[in-house]
């Protein structure tokens, strides 16, 4: 008999098992007689029971006629859960880029599985949830911000992970005021942006308060022009988080 545990999980984090080209999830376990009851993951109607550690398997109820048990469906499920894993680990890629990469690989390996692969819009919420679960907690005070030598490496890099983005980390001492809390100034800029900023003949400064995350008070942005005359656009080069 074809009975194999595969490294997949249902939406409720239950392990999935493969039996006769179909996937089953554990419904319940009867420890008294050592019997495990499974339900078809696809249609929810098919039932199998296993005993003696999976040595004896009995199909107690057939799946519905609409149950798709093709290998292509299984590959689509594998690709879907791989996509969730990639989104949670490869933070340098956007969610859309992760989806496109997995879908392209699936199209190359098994074009028939694309019929079962969900759309980006239907998966976007789950992908964002998986990514946010691996992101660090947003600091609410300066004590929660890591020291420069403890700053996570991936958050020191730009999106392409090929340039340093955390440009400067300074300690701020307010003049003529008692030091209640050790405050800091964080500057973010890549080396390529620094070169373009030095070569610019004009720079533009913009300070905003509403979008500045706590515990900082102001976000200062230094921009340069890119383009000619009417087609010129302001491009941010340096971001400075200020405590006052």
């Amino acid at each position: 008999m074809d009975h194999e545990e595969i490294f997949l999980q249902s939406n409720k984090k239950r392990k999935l098992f493969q039996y006769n080209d179909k996937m089953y999830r554990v419904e319940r376990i009867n420890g008294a007689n050592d019997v495990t009851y499974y339900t078809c993951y696809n249609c929810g109607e098919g039932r199998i029971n296993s005993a003696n550690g999976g040595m004896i398997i009995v199909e107690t109820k057939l799946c519905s006629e609409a149950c798709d048990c093709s290998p292509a469906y299984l590959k689509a499920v594998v690709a879907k859960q791989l996509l969730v894993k990639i989104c949670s680990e490869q933070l340098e890629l956007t969610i859309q880029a992760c989806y496109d990469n997995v879908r392209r690989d699936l199209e190359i390996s098994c074009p028939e599985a694309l019929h079962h692969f969900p759309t980006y819009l239907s998966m976007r919420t789950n992908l964002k949830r998986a990514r946010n679960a691996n992101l660090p907690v947003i600091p609410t005070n300066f004590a929660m911000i890591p020291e420069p030598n403890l700053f996570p490496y991936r958050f020191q890099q730009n999106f392409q992970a090929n340039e340093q983005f955390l440009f400067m980390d300074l300690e701020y001492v307010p003049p003529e005021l008692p030091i209640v809390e050790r405050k800091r100034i964080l500057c973010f800029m890549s080396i390529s942006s620094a070169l373009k900023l030095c070569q610019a003949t004009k720079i533009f400064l913009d300070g905003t308060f509403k979008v500045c995350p706590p515990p900082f008070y102001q976000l200062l942005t230094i921009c340069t022009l890119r383009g000619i005359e009417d087609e010129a656009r302001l491009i941010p080069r340096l971001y400075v988080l200020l405590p006052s």
Side-chain angles (χ1 to χ4, degrees):
M1 291 185 180
D2 184 10
H3 181 224
E4 176 188 358
E5 180 179 353
I6 56 178
F7 296 98
L8 293 174
Q9 290 181 341
S10 66
N11 295 332
K12 295 184 178 180
K13 306 301 180 182
R14 297 175 178 176
K15 288 185 178 180
L16 298 179
F17 296 83
Q18 184 179 3
Y19 173 70
N20 287 346
D21 293 329
K22 296 183 181 179
M23 289 185 298
Y24 292 85
R25 56 180 171 83
V26 177
E27 189 67 24
R28 61 188 177 91
I29 300 176
N30 190 339
N33 53 10
D34 192 23
V35 176
T36 304
Y37 300 87
Y38 300 89
T39 303
C40 180
Y41 179 66
N42 189 24
C43 67
E45 295 185 12
R47 300 285 193 274
I48 61 173
N49 301 341
S50 70
N52 295 335
M55 298 300 296
I56 302 176
I57 301 177
V58 179
E59 189 170 14
T60 58
K61 185 178 180 181
L62 297 177
C63 293
S64 64
E65 295 181 357
C67 182
D68 189 350
C69 58
S70 63
Y73 175 78
L74 181 59
K75 288 184 177 293
V77 174
V78 173
K80 175 183 174 182
Q81 300 204 3
L82 176 63
L83 171 60
V84 174
K85 184 175 184 293
I86 290 176
C87 281
S88 64
E89 295 178 353
Q90 299 185 12
L91 303 180
E92 69 278 4
L93 297 178
T94 64
I95 294 176
Q96 179 73 62
C98 293
Y99 177 88
D100 293 340
N101 292 341
V102 173
R103 192 180 190 280
R104 181 174 58 251
D105 294 341
L106 182 63
E107 184 178 7
I108 296 174
S109 61
C110 183
E112 299 82 6
L114 289 179
H115 175 70
H116 307 282
F117 195 67
T119 63
Y120 172 73
L121 292 178
S122 64
M123 289 200 66
R124 183 170 56 183
T125 301
N126 290 335
L127 296 180
K128 287 183 178 179
R129 188 181 296 114
R131 168 153 296 185
N132 293 337
N134 274 7
L135 291 176
V137 178
I138 297 177
T140 57
N141 55 64
F142 287 97
M144 296 177 61
I145 301 177
E147 294 296 327
N149 59 330
L150 299 177
F151 223 89
Y153 180 75
R154 62 189 179 192
F155 296 109
Q156 299 183 31
Q157 306 297 303
N158 60 357
F159 279 111
Q160 287 77 28
N162 56 5
E163 286 189 272
Q164 183 78 11
F165 191 55
L166 180 60
F167 188 74
M168 195 175 298
D169 188 343
L170 303 174
E171 184 173 356
Y172 172 73
V173 180
E176 300 178 358
L177 289 176
I179 301 177
V180 179
E181 183 183 20
R182 177 174 174 265
K183 299 183 178 180
R184 293 155 67 184
I185 298 175
L186 297 181
C187 305
F188 297 91
M189 178 172 61
S190 63
I191 299 300
S192 57
S193 293
L195 294 176
K196 293 177 182 178
L197 183 60
C198 294
Q199 296 170 357
T201 56
K202 293 183 180 180
I203 62 173
F204 302 84
L205 280 72
D206 178 47
T208 182
F209 303 89
K210 290 185 178 181
V211 299
C212 187
F216 297 97
Y217 185 74
Q218 180 182 181
L219 173 61
L220 175 66
T221 308
I222 301 180
C223 308
T224 62
L225 285 174
R226 185 174 69 181
I228 302 175
E229 297 180 352
D230 295 340
E231 297 182 356
R233 295 183 178 181
L234 285 176
I235 305 298
R237 300 299 182 186
L238 174 65
Y239 303 90
V240 185
L241 291 173
L242 299 173
S244 64

